[in-house]
Amino acid sequence: MSRKFQVKAIPSTWLENNGRRLDCGPYMAGAVEIRELLKKHKTDVLPDLTAGHDGGIYNGPQFERNYVDDAQHGVPFLTTTFMMQADLSRLPLLSKKDAQSRKLNYLRVHEGMTLITCSGTVGRTIYARSDMNGVWSNQDILKIVADPKRIPSGYLNAYLCTRFGVPFVVSGKYGSVITHLEPKHFSDLLVPRLGETIEQEAHNLVEQSAALLANYQANLTEATELYFDSVGLKDITASEWHSWGSDLGFAATAGVQTLRALNFNPRFQRLCELIKQGPWKPLGELCVPGTLKRGSRFNRIDADPEYAYRLVGQKELFWLRPEGRWIARKFVPNDVLVESGSILVAARGTLGESELYCRASFIHGKLTENAYSEDILRVIGNEKEIERGALFAFMRSESAFRMLRSISVGSKLQDHHYSMLPSLPIPYPSSDIRKRCNDLVIAAYEAREKAIELEDQARSLVERTIEEGGR
């Protein structure tokens, strides 16, 4: 595919008004044109609308990250990668002692903040919801704290995410290989004032969206807890898993399937035996025959969205708003698409504690419109045996994560041992419990989809009002 170049002629006044910057970023991003459009509105500069630490626009210092396994000694830690995910229940834990120190205590997230990635891929933006209270963020996430006396926080977030706000946000980035944003780059960011009615309406939409995402998280957590409680079990934690000892110096009887020690580790065997003490069935009996495999390999031919599927990879699989390249429909196999209720598991990666390898996601609603890469394991429940949402309530658990990792094969890049997958023991609650778990999961994903729609409505409202005022 040929490389596309952009060319634009600009007046010399633009150079003077932008500090005589000679790099093309500020002029190509559209911020200058938008600044001209906003002259038709009453505007404020962003620092006049924020309050709090360092005036309400800040990131953090570089610091050594000391991670812990026990939640009693740690706080959930948000990085730029995890920030984009929908399910925040598996965040790594930063040492509580470090987090609450004078140096880092102001990095705590509070609901209503706007969080923006400011290193690497800069400008990705989310709105902090209530279940993010008590989470700490890293130095590569910039916080914008709206002063409630001057501007509704939801409106400010909606504006910064519009096609008018995003160019302002990214126009100040600098760096060649790794780009950065700093608080000082927001000193002259213009915010249009669209009137109390519009601003409050946009704020309410964003707040409703945040509440729905909090419900999404709560329903998923409740579904998993109910699933385990109903069979007399409790999902293990990372701390418990590591407290069971190391995987060194043990004896095991090797079968013909594998000779890798990891596949016989005592912690894995102990976890399987715990599950087998109650009602259970092997994973293979609960899934549609012929599934429990990764997708096909295929040539990826780029195409316009009108003739293409959005191809989602392992990382984007877990994002609230999955991104991906557009690939021609004509050249892809059928199994790049998955049906509603499918459970997709990251099937390639390394064994780092915070890696996504072996984490599971659920497909429902508009997520079925995407295509999914060959590096993703398809787990499709047989609805005659188990409700698919109920199966996901278990597959998203720490117990399932540890079992899946224990059947890994490979050297650097790990994959699953597909002969061992069908025999993994899955707790099997009564039909009424399975239905309740399924209902909770479905309700969670419907809330998530509605939350995205409300965010989009808020952004469209702001964009439409700015455009109409500029005519």
Side-chain angles (χ1 to χ4, degrees):
M1 186 174 65
S2 61
R3 185 177 178 184
K4 294 182 179 179
F5 293 90
Q6 290 181 302
V7 178
K8 178 184 288 188
I10 64 170
S12 60
T13 54
W14 287 15
L15 296 174
E16 295 177 6
N17 293 336
N18 285 272
R20 293 187 171 82
R21 286 184 61 167
L22 296 179
D23 57 320
C24 62
Y27 313 106
M28 301 301 291
V32 178
E33 293 95 326
I34 293 169
R35 192 178 294 274
E36 294 297 317
L37 174 64
L38 292 184
K39 287 181 179 179
K40 297 180 172 63
H41 293 271
K42 178 182 181 300
T43 59
D44 289 319
V45 291
L46 183 61
D48 289 343
L49 303 173
T50 57
H53 178 80
D54 267 2
I57 305 174
Y58 60 95
N59 47 9
Q62 291 188 354
F63 60 94
E64 182 179 356
R65 301 177 187 180
N66 296 311
Y67 292 108
V68 299
D69 297 320
D70 194 335
Q72 291 185 340
H73 304 292
V75 297
F77 186 58
L78 195 66
T79 65
T80 54
T81 299
F82 282 104
M83 190 182 95
M84 306 309 298
Q85 294 185 18
D87 185 350
L88 300 179
S89 61
R90 304 300 180 191
L91 295 179
L93 298 175
L94 181 69
S95 165
K96 185 180 291 186
K97 180 180 178 181
D98 292 346
Q100 295 178 346
S101 67
R102 179 178 298 179
K103 180 180 179 181
L104 302 180
N105 62 1
Y106 66 90
L107 295 183
R108 181 173 181 172
V109 175
H110 299 279
E111 61 181 301
M113 287 179 168
T114 289
L115 308 181
I116 301 176
T117 56
C118 60
S119 182
T121 304
V122 301
R124 299 191 188 278
T125 304
I126 66 168
Y127 189 70
R129 55 193 196 245
S130 60
D131 58 327
M132 294 174 68
N133 288 327
V135 170
W136 262 250
S137 67
N138 71 0
Q139 69 271 18
D140 296 328
I141 296 176
L142 185 139
K143 300 181 178 68
I144 296 179
V145 186
D147 184 343
K149 298 178 182 178
R150 298 175 181 173
I151 191 170
S153 59
Y155 163 67
L156 179 58
N157 174 267
Y159 165 68
L160 292 175
C161 294
T162 64
R163 60 187 178 86
F164 299 108
V166 170
F168 272 135
V169 170
V170 301
S171 64
K173 67 181 181 181
Y174 67 96
S176 54
V177 178
I178 300 177
T179 55
H180 296 273
L181 283 174
E182 298 295 340
K184 64 184 179 181
H185 297 141
F186 293 76
S187 62
D188 61 348
L189 191 152
L190 295 180
V191 180
R193 307 314 305 266
L194 305 181
E196 183 177 350
T197 301
I198 295 296
E199 292 185 5
Q200 191 61 44
E201 184 178 351
H203 171 75
N204 291 342
L205 289 169
V206 173
E207 282 285 300
Q208 291 171 33
S209 172
L212 285 170
L213 288 176
N215 289 340
Y216 157 81
Q217 188 74 78
N219 281 349
L220 290 184
T221 302
E222 183 181 351
T224 299
E225 290 177 350
L226 175 61
Y227 196 97
F228 277 84
D229 289 344
S230 67
V231 292
L233 295 174
K234 186 175 179 62
D235 191 17
I236 63 169
T237 64
S239 177
E240 289 171 331
W241 173 258
H242 292 298
S243 72
W244 286 0
S246 66
D247 297 331
L248 302 176
F250 61 89
T253 301
V256 296
Q257 294 178 322
T258 176
L259 294 175
R260 189 178 186 184
L262 174 66
N263 303 151
F264 302 95
N265 74 79
R267 291 184 291 180
F268 171 47
Q269 302 299 330
R270 178 179 174 180
L271 182 55
C272 290
E273 289 304 315
L274 281 174
I275 292 174
K276 291 178 179 180
Q277 290 177 7
W280 69 280
K281 287 190 176 185
L283 179 60
E285 289 186 14
L286 298 177
C287 292
V288 174
T291 60
L292 285 183
K293 62 182 182 179
R294 291 191 288 108
S296 303
R297 291 189 177 186
F298 58 93
N299 291 329
R300 302 177 181 186
I301 310 299
D302 293 300
D304 292 331
E306 182 182 357
Y307 307 102
Y309 295 122
R310 186 197 303 273
L311 180 64
V312 176
Q314 285 190 120
K315 181 175 71 173
E316 294 81 7
L317 173 65
F318 300 92
W319 287 11
L320 177 63
R321 293 173 177 266
E323 297 178 3
R325 61 190 285 192
W326 292 94
I327 56 167
R329 297 173 185 170
K330 183 178 179 180
F331 300 100
V332 299
N334 291 332
D335 65 356
V336 302
L337 302 178
V338 297
E339 57 190 284
S340 182
S342 298
I343 300 166
L344 302 187
V345 179
R348 288 280 185 89
T350 58
L351 297 172
E353 281 293 295
S354 61
E355 296 292 326
L356 293 173
Y357 172 58
C358 294
R359 293 294 184 193
S361 187
F362 189 71
I363 302 303
H364 181 77
K366 292 183 179 179
L367 294 175
T368 59
E369 298 173 4
N370 297 324
Y372 295 91
S373 79
E374 71 271 20
D375 293 327
I376 297 173
L377 171 68
R378 277 72 166 163
V379 181
I380 305 176
N382 183 346
E383 293 181 296
K384 295 180 180 179
E385 297 288 340
I386 191 169
E387 293 78 358
R388 291 176 176 179
L391 181 57
F392 175 67
F394 176 76
M395 294 301 294
R396 67 177 295 274
S397 69
E398 188 73 12
S399 298
F401 172 72
R402 297 297 172 180
M403 287 199 299
L404 288 168
R405 285 209 163 185
S406 295
I407 61 168
S408 295
V409 294
S411 53
K412 170 62 176 176
L413 198 63
Q414 303 294 301
D415 197 353
H416 296 116
H417 196 306
Y418 291 94
S419 296
M420 299 182 71
L421 259 175
S423 62
L424 289 180
I426 308 297
Y428 195 67
S430 61
S431 60
D432 61 319
I433 295 297
R434 298 199 309 269
K435 185 178 185 308
R436 286 173 58 190
C437 291
N438 181 72
D439 291 345
L440 284 167
V441 169
I442 297 301
Y445 275 80
E446 288 178 348
R448 167 179 163 165
E449 193 161 298
K450 181 63 176 177
I452 294 173
E453 291 177 3
L454 291 174
E455 275 191 350
D456 290 341
Q457 288 178 27
R459 296 171 188 178
S460 296
L461 172 65
V462 174
E463 287 181 347
R464 187 168 62 251
T465 306
I466 291 174
E467 288 173 337
E468 291 173 352
R471 292 175 183 171

